[in-house]
Amino acid sequence: MSQPPEEIFDAEALEQARILFARKAEFMMGAVSIDGLPAPDLPEVAFAGRSNVGKSSLINALVGQKHLARASNEPGRTREVNFFVLDDRLRLVDLPGYGWARASKSEVKKFQNLGRDYLRGRPNLKRAYLLIDARHGLKAVDNEPMDAFDTAAVSYQIVLTKADKLKPAEVEAMCEKTLRAIAKRPAAFPRVIATSSEKGQGLAELRAEIAAACEIGEI
């Protein structure tokens, strides 16, 4: 059994991460091609997930803003690689969603390839976070991004979203099930964080995970 995040980070680490994420966060840019990416001069963490998993809500909740990341009803931005700068210390990167039902195959391929190109060619990418709806768990469609992370040798961590919709025992069971499912994947980080953007569950631990991955110490 993996040690839960709340037992990994002490109170000081959680507080330092809280302070970091309370600092100024702003939208930097959206890139539609690999040539348009900003210089790799800050550590980055990337968020990936199905188009309805709650990526925008989670990013907004992490930084305490309601409208920093725009929700998926504005698909023009969600099909880009979007960069948000936090305290001029790190970037949060919103990768194009997958599982689009309404996009054409050519559109899907275009923005999925953009996401793969980003993963392969980003030396300052410290970790990716793959968001999974806690109510449904890993699905076949999630194998593709996990394969992409493994192929690119990008460390990635599973983040369960909408955990407030389940009972605590169900959340724990889903975490354990997910850990078993990724146990043999070479790039998978061996901790799962259950979160709720609405209730704030798991956000302190996720902030601390990001700060640790980016090696950001005392604020």
Side-chain angles (χ1 to χ4, degrees), residues 38-66:
D41 52 0
L42 287 176
E44 293 174 354
V45 295
F47 297 85
R50 295 194 69 178
S51 55
N52 60 350
V53 78
K55 276 194 295 119
S56 297
S57 296
L58 183 66
I59 292 171
N60 289 336
L62 283 170
V63 300
Q65 296 186 31
K66 291 184 177 180

Side-chain angles (χ1 to χ4, degrees), residues 50 132-140 142 160 174 177-178:
R50 295 194 69 178
I132 302 295
D133 190 319
R135 299 170 296 180
H136 308 305
L138 288 167
K139 298 294 185 184
D142 300 311
L160 300 178
M174 182 58 74
K177 180 180 179 180
T178 304

Side-chain angles (χ1 to χ4, degrees), residues 65-94:
Q65 296 186 31
K66 291 184 177 180
H67 305 295
L68 180 66
R70 298 185 185 179
S72 59
N73 61 356
E74 299 194 24
R77 286 186 67 182
T78 54
R79 299 186 194 189
E80 300 172 351
V81 175
N82 291 309
F83 293 82
F84 306 91
V85 181
L86 176 62
D87 196 33
D88 291 325
R89 288 177 178 242
L90 66 94
R91 296 190 189 107
L92 310 176
V93 183
D94 188 359

Side-chain angles (χ1 to χ4, degrees), residues 28-45:
M28 179 183 180
M29 61 173 292
V32 296
S33 70
I34 196 71
D35 296 333
L37 299 181
D41 52 0
L42 287 176
E44 293 174 354
V45 295

